[in-house]
Amino acid sequence: MADQTRYTETMRRLRWPLILTWAGMLSERVARAFWPLWTLLLLCAAGLMLGLGQILSTDVLWALAALSGLAALVLLARGLWRLRIPRREEAFRRLDGTLKGQPLQTLRDDQVMGQNDPGSAALWAAHRDRMARQAASARAVEPNLKLSTRDVFGLRYVALMLLLAGLLFGSIWRLGDIGGALPGSAQAAVGPSWEGWMEPPLHTGLPTVYLGDIDGEVLHAPQGALVTLRFYGPEGRLELAETVSGRVGELPSASAPAQDFTIRQAGQLAVEGPGGREWRVALIPDRAPSVSIDGPGEADVEGLFSIPFSARDDYGVAAGKALISLDLAAIDRRYGLALEPEPRAPLEIVLPMPLTGSRADFTAALVEDFSQHPWANLPVTVSLTVEDALGQSGRSEGYDMLLDARRFFDPLAATLIEMRRDLLWNRENAQRVTQVLRAVRWYGEGLFPNETIAMRLDRLIGKIETIQRFRPLSDDQVARVTQALWDMAIEIEEGDLADARDRMERARQRLEEAMRNGASDQEIARLMQELRDATQDYMRQLAQQQAREQGQQQGQQQGQQDMENAMRMTQDDIQRMMDRIQELMEEGRMAEAQQALEELQQMLENMQMTEGQGGEGQQSPGEQAMEGLGETLRNQQELSDESFRDLQDQFNPNGRSGERNQGESGEGQEQGQQQQGGQGQQQGEEPGQQQGQGGQPGQGGDQGSADAEGLAERQRALRDELERQRGNLPGAGTEAGRAAREALEEADRAMRGAEDALREGDLAEAIDEQSRAMDALREGMRNLGDAMAQQDREMAGQQGEAEGDNPGQRNDPLGRNAGTNGALGNEREMLSDEEVRRRAQDLLDEIRRRSGENARTEEERDYLRRLLDRF
């Protein structure tokens, strides 16, 4: 009796775990029996929410509904057939099976043997007590709802995913679409309802609006928005009334179940009937884009012409082009330009658009090379046109400017270019061109840099005269002759260092003469730009010559002597000096500007380029590292420019790529002529026939991929060079040195990303990575410079004469001899020379200017302020 009481008490405590275990078993069997049914129901609901009812016809929709209903009944019957309600005993056994030793079953059992034995009875009682305590810890058994053994293809997950897609991208209200396919009585039971959407044009970037969510009475709609309405229920109960589409003629019924129209104007939009709505539509107009030219175009020393412009649109500019036409009224119609020009269509150049960011309001520059165009360096009128996605266009006012192109400073090269221009202006100038060229050839003793060019010019003159004797020059012959003149002019212009120095001197003399004669501001600005270009060309030629002379012992010794007696000057110093001259001229201080120009000339005559001077023995490891990183940065910049040009070629295959190919062909011609030497041309050869020797037609089929692969290889070579340079960086252990190494590691990662992008053909990504690499290189060079400056300050008191310098032979920046032990000469020696006093004043002015530049580091400005306080 006591055992039965204990069992009853234990089962009473286990009532809820037993019930929950039974419920779990029931859920398991329901899931296993009915999972195909609820999978089918989820699929049907997902299809309706995703708009399946709007896509399919009524007959097909009814057929699918019938099949789905029949399948649901079959699956329901199958589930009911397989469903077995779990009994209490099954739940009891599952719960007891989770306990150690099956204590519930033990509490049910009675002692069979040894009931009269006190020891056996006591042992049985102790065992039941232990099982009772064990049963008290029973917990409900969790159900096993896994269906992977039955749903081996995961159909239930597919249905659930489609349902979630319908909830996210569809509408739960579309479940009512089935009402539109019901017969009349059924539709009446469903009742009338509606839904609608307003989809703005794609180019606006605005989201789709669900009309049922608009609470106000005003609907703000962009022009061109598409409105879609769906009516459900008995036809005729709901009708559309609108005045925004501007539609005329035969229109669909106002009560049609599907309504689609585009908003063209402001007006009223209403759904009339039970549950209808009405809005006043406020139109957001799509305004036409606008574009303006921000200033006259300018060309650099290589002839690249840049026109700055700004474009605006409310949603974004889609495309644009520049129209360049000849300003015939502004041309000085003399000499070869006296004849009427041959008709030429205006130039149409595609405007560059931003690759990233917004096109709603941006500033860019159209960059092209017009040096070989017949209108080069002639007055033109430029107008820009831009379009938006709707085809609306905006045009800038005509801007009169000079079609600036490459300038030729050599007199012979300038003459050839002028004759080339006259022949392109009108081929009837051929006789005048030959006369001028013969005069140049007759009086040009010593004018030609080599006899080969003179012989080429003689043959070209003969060809023109021979053709002109029988017939006018054809288009192809004009193109060949002008190309030959261009090639000879380029070869003459890009001559040796002496030619570059002469061009620089001529540009300086013309500027001085214009200043003395009181020329206009425009003329002085033009001549100043010519001087800048000629000086830049001279410095480039000088650097190339010193690079060729590097390694020659005699040249190195001479360079060491010159370095002790001449002032060193970098290109940045010259640029600042020229800026100062231009500033003085703009302020009207012509006397001071002319004096500064003379000083610039003296400096240029005594200038020694620091790059490549004296060999490696004269450069510290830090200077070598800075020079190597600077060269790597220049190479990276050139590689980035070439990648950008290739990217432009993808969007404008008939533009810059053609000019580049033409330039490559010209290089091939020049090389071919140099290899032939004085062999000359055959008798029947047309002028410029060797022009195509640089490349054969048909070789550009895989040019794009080959170029990308070549750029990638060059990028890899740059990265390898940077990795080599990183192993030789000075300044280890200092904060600036660590920062320099981190910046160069970032540059290495960016170069690696650029290389991968180039191999994949993603030029835009490659340009971004190359830009990151250049920024990191500049940061690394700046930090390396700080590290070197810190080391120099620490070692300043330890060098003295230990480096082998003779202080008695050194000069300070003012040209004074240094005193004993490095001390400067006395003040009386300095003040005795007017030139030295003026240089001292210029030096103080430069220190004051630099001390006020916030871009410089605080340490450098403190040093400059201490200099000012001392002197």
Side-chain angles (χ1 to χ4, degrees):
M1 187 66 180
D3 294 343
Q4 184 64 30
T5 302
R6 179 174 297 175
Y7 173 74
T8 304
E9 180 65 22
T10 300
M11 295 304 296
R12 186 180 63 80
R13 290 198 303 267
L14 297 178
R15 178 169 175 250
W16 279 109
L18 190 61
I19 292 175
L20 293 177
T21 300
W22 179 87
M25 295 178 65
L26 179 62
S27 64
E28 289 178 4
R29 298 185 180 184
V30 169
R32 292 169 183 172
F34 294 103
W35 74 265
L37 177 61
W38 57 257
T39 300
L40 177 62
L41 296 178
L42 289 180
L43 286 174
C44 294
L48 291 176
M49 283 190 287
L50 290 174
L52 190 62
Q54 301 175 3
I55 300 174
L56 303 178
S57 63
T58 303
D59 296 338
V60 175
L61 186 61
W62 266 106
L64 290 178
L67 290 176
S68 300
L70 181 60
L73 291 176
V74 172
L75 294 176
L76 178 61
R78 173 184 174 276
L80 293 175
W81 176 262
R82 294 191 174 187
L83 180 63
R84 295 291 182 268
I85 304 298
R87 291 179 290 110
R88 187 176 183 276
E89 183 64 24
E90 294 175 343
F92 179 87
R93 286 197 300 269
R94 172 173 286 195
L95 181 61
D96 192 24
T98 61
L99 300 175
K100 186 177 182 181
Q102 295 185 340
L104 297 181
Q105 184 63 37
T106 301
L107 293 176
R108 271 185 176 184
D109 295 340
D110 295 328
Q111 185 177 5
V112 178
M113 300 176 62
Q115 295 180 358
N116 297 327
D117 184 3
S120 177
L123 180 61
W124 177 252
H127 177 63
R128 288 179 64 88
D129 289 341
R130 186 169 63 85
M131 291 296 101
R133 290 192 300 271
Q134 185 73 21
S137 62
R139 296 292 182 269
V141 181
E142 295 182 359
N144 182 13
L145 300 178
K146 295 181 179 180
L147 301 174
S148 56
T149 57
R150 290 169 172 78
D151 183 13
V152 294
F153 296 106
L155 298 178
R156 63 193 187 282
Y157 294 124
V158 174
L160 182 61
M161 182 189 67
L162 293 176
L163 180 65
L164 293 176
L167 291 173
L168 291 175
F169 304 107
S171 174
I172 194 172
W173 300 107
R174 288 180 177 172
L175 293 174
D177 288 356
I178 192 66
L182 296 176
S185 59
Q187 289 183 3
V190 173
S193 62
W194 66 274
E195 59 179 344
W197 303 267
M198 181 187 69
E199 181 181 358
L202 183 62
H203 68 273
T204 63
L206 299 176
T208 300
V209 177
Y210 185 69
L211 297 181
D213 295 337
I214 300 177
D215 298 330
E217 297 181 354
V218 180
L219 174 62
H220 296 278
Q223 184 179 355
L226 177 64
V227 176
T228 302
L229 292 173
R230 295 294 181 265
F231 297 157
Y232 310 117
E235 186 173 354
R237 298 289 301 279
L238 295 175
E239 293 184 351
L240 168 67
E242 57 88 11
T243 59
V244 295
S245 66
R247 296 178 293 179
V248 295
E250 185 176 356
L251 301 177
S253 173
S255 60
Q259 301 280 350
D260 300 286
F261 58 90
T262 302
I263 297 179
R264 302 294 184 187
Q265 59 192 18
Q268 299 294 325
L269 172 60
V271 177
E272 299 177 347
R277 294 284 302 277
E278 182 177 0
W279 300 276
R280 180 173 59 84
V281 178
L283 187 66
I284 303 176
D286 191 339
R287 296 181 177 86
S290 61
V291 62
S292 61
I293 300 177
D294 296 338
E298 296 180 352
D300 59 10
V301 66
E302 300 296 334
L304 284 178
F305 184 59
S306 177
I307 303 177
F309 69 93
S310 301
R312 294 156 295 279
D313 187 61
D314 41 10
Y315 296 114
V317 177
K321 64 180 180 180
L323 190 68
I324 303 177
S325 57
L326 185 65
D327 188 2
L328 198 59
I331 298 177
D332 186 5
R333 301 292 298 278
R334 294 186 298 171
Y335 309 119
L337 304 181
L339 298 176
E340 288 297 321
E342 295 182 357
R344 296 185 184 273
L347 287 173
E348 288 191 8
I349 310 296
V350 178
L351 292 180
M353 295 289 117
L355 298 178
T356 58
S358 174
R359 293 187 179 184
D361 189 353
F362 66 93
T363 300
L366 172 63
V367 180
E368 289 289 339
D369 188 356
F370 298 105
S371 298
Q372 298 192 49
H373 194 270
W375 298 343
N377 295 313
L378 291 178
V380 294
T381 300
V382 181
S383 62
L384 307 182
T385 304
V386 292
E387 293 183 356
D388 60 9
L390 288 183
Q392 302 178 111
S393 62
R395 184 168 183 173
S396 67
E397 297 181 358
Y399 200 111
D400 296 333
M401 65 179 70
L402 196 68
L403 191 62
D404 206 3
R406 177 167 182 166
R407 300 284 180 173
F408 290 83
F409 302 99
D410 187 278
L412 178 58
T415 301
L416 296 180
I417 291 300
E418 182 180 353
M419 294 302 99
R420 176 183 179 275
R421 181 204 64 187
D422 293 348
L423 193 58
L424 289 172
W425 180 266
N426 194 318
R427 67 194 66 197
E428 295 181 7
N429 281 324
Q431 183 178 359
R432 178 181 181 276
V433 168
T434 55
Q435 291 175 348
V436 173
L437 292 179
R438 283 201 175 277
V440 171
R441 185 68 183 93
W442 180 261
Y443 295 102
E445 293 296 335
L447 188 61
F448 290 86
N450 54 68
E451 190 62 26
T452 302
I453 296 180
M455 294 174 62
R456 287 164 54 189
L457 184 60
D458 288 339
R459 289 195 299 270
L460 184 63
I461 295 173
K463 295 294 183 182
I464 299 175
E465 292 177 340
T466 301
I467 298 173
Q468 186 71 14
R469 187 178 301 113
F470 299 100
R471 62 182 183 278
L473 295 174
S474 64
D475 293 341
D476 183 63
Q477 290 167 343
V478 170
R480 291 171 182 265
V481 170
T482 54
Q483 184 62 43
L485 289 172
W486 173 268
D487 293 337
M488 283 188 288
I490 290 295
E491 186 174 348
I492 294 171
E493 180 72 14
E494 296 179 352
D496 55 11
L497 183 63
D499 295 335
R501 187 185 299 111
D502 292 341
R503 289 194 297 271
M504 182 179 65
E505 178 63 21
R506 287 193 298 270
R508 186 189 64 83
Q509 292 176 357
R510 285 197 295 267
L511 179 59
E512 286 185 349
E513 184 179 357
M515 294 168 60
R516 288 194 301 267
N517 297 335
S520 63
D521 295 340
Q522 293 80 1
E523 180 66 16
I524 290 179
R526 185 182 66 82
L527 295 175
M528 187 67 192
Q529 185 62 40
E530 288 185 1
L531 179 59
R532 289 177 186 269
D533 296 341
T535 304
Q536 182 179 356
D537 183 51
Y538 170 69
M539 297 182 70
R540 183 173 62 251
Q541 295 282 353
L542 181 60
Q544 293 175 357
Q545 184 189 49
Q546 291 177 345
R548 291 190 298 266
E549 294 176 353
Q550 189 175 12
Q552 299 178 3
Q553 187 66 24
Q554 181 179 359
Q556 291 177 2
Q557 295 176 355
Q558 181 66 30
Q560 294 173 2
Q561 297 174 2
D562 293 340
M563 287 168 59
E564 294 177 353
N565 301 307
M567 179 180 297
R568 298 186 183 184
M569 179 170 291
T570 66
Q571 188 171 355
D572 292 338
D573 297 327
I574 295 179
Q575 184 67 30
R576 284 193 293 269
M577 191 69 177
M578 289 187 174
D579 293 340
R580 177 61 176 168
I581 295 174
Q582 187 166 2
E583 180 181 352
L584 291 173
M585 290 189 299
E586 292 175 353
E587 294 175 357
R589 300 156 63 181
M590 291 299 176
E592 298 181 28
Q594 189 169 355
Q595 186 178 5
L597 189 60
E598 295 175 356
E599 295 176 11
L600 175 63
Q601 177 63 20
Q602 295 175 3
M603 294 177 183
L604 289 173
E605 290 176 354
N606 298 325
M607 181 180 62
Q608 291 292 334
M609 299 289 291
T610 57
E611 292 83 355
Q613 287 285 339
E616 295 182 358
Q618 293 182 346
Q619 290 182 330
S620 66
E623 292 173 345
Q624 295 177 15
M626 289 290 287
E627 182 177 351
L629 291 176
E631 182 66 22
T632 302
L633 178 59
R634 287 190 292 272
N635 292 337
Q636 183 64 77
Q637 180 66 61
E638 294 175 359
L639 184 59
S640 178
D641 293 342
E642 188 167 348
S643 301
F644 182 73
R645 289 193 293 268
D646 288 350
L647 183 61
Q648 284 183 316
D649 292 343
Q650 293 182 359
F651 295 96
N652 185 18
N654 296 325
R656 294 181 58 88
S657 60
E659 296 177 2
R660 292 172 58 189
N661 293 335
Q662 186 177 2
E664 294 172 359
S665 175
E667 294 175 0
Q669 176 187 2
E670 181 179 352
Q671 294 175 359
Q673 290 171 349
Q674 291 176 355
Q675 293 173 0
Q676 290 174 5
Q679 294 178 2
Q681 298 175 337
Q682 297 180 2
Q683 182 67 26
E685 183 180 1
E686 292 292 338
Q689 186 173 347
Q690 298 176 355
Q691 179 177 340
Q693 294 177 359
Q696 298 297 333
Q699 293 179 350
D702 297 330
Q703 187 67 29
S705 60
D707 289 347
E709 188 65 26
L711 293 177
E713 290 299 325
R714 289 169 57 188
Q715 185 66 70
R716 183 186 61 80
L718 274 180
R719 185 167 58 83
D720 294 343
E721 176 64 18
L722 177 63
E723 185 175 357
R724 183 191 65 78
Q725 294 169 354
R726 286 166 53 195
N728 301 323
L729 288 182
T734 63
E735 182 178 355
R738 288 192 297 270
R741 284 165 171 79
E742 293 175 359
L744 295 183
E745 289 177 1
E746 175 64 22
D748 180 80
R749 288 191 293 269
M751 287 183 177
R752 188 184 301 274
E755 179 186 349
D756 295 340
L758 287 172
R759 295 192 187 280
E760 296 173 0
D762 190 353
L763 292 176
E765 178 66 20
I767 292 172
D768 292 340
E769 293 293 338
Q770 289 168 346
S771 177
R772 286 182 48 224
M774 288 186 290
D775 292 340
L777 281 173
R778 295 188 185 98
E779 181 67 16
M781 294 176 65
R782 187 184 67 80
N783 292 326
L784 182 59
D786 294 341
M788 294 169 56
Q790 182 177 352
Q791 291 181 352
D792 292 342
R793 287 193 296 269
E794 293 174 355
M795 299 176 61
Q798 304 176 6
Q799 293 178 353
E801 298 181 7
E803 298 177 355
D805 294 335
N806 187 354
Q809 296 180 359
R810 291 181 299 173
N811 296 336
D812 69 337
L814 299 180
R816 304 171 300 181
N817 292 330
T820 307
N821 296 328
L824 298 178
N826 55 34
E827 183 177 359
R828 181 169 49 83
E829 179 186 0
M830 180 189 72
L831 297 177
S832 62
D833 190 352
E834 179 65 21
E835 177 67 14
V836 174
R837 285 200 301 272
R838 185 171 53 79
R839 290 190 179 183
Q841 183 62 43
D842 292 340
L843 183 60
L844 287 175
D845 293 341
E846 181 65 16
I847 294 175
R848 291 192 184 96
R849 185 186 66 80
R850 295 189 180 188
S851 64
E853 293 179 351
N854 294 329
R856 299 182 180 274
T857 61
E858 187 65 24
E859 292 81 5
E860 184 178 0
R861 286 188 288 166
D862 289 340
Y863 171 74
L864 294 172
R865 283 193 287 267
R866 289 196 299 270
L867 286 179
L868 291 175
D869 294 339
R870 182 175 179 181
F871 298 101

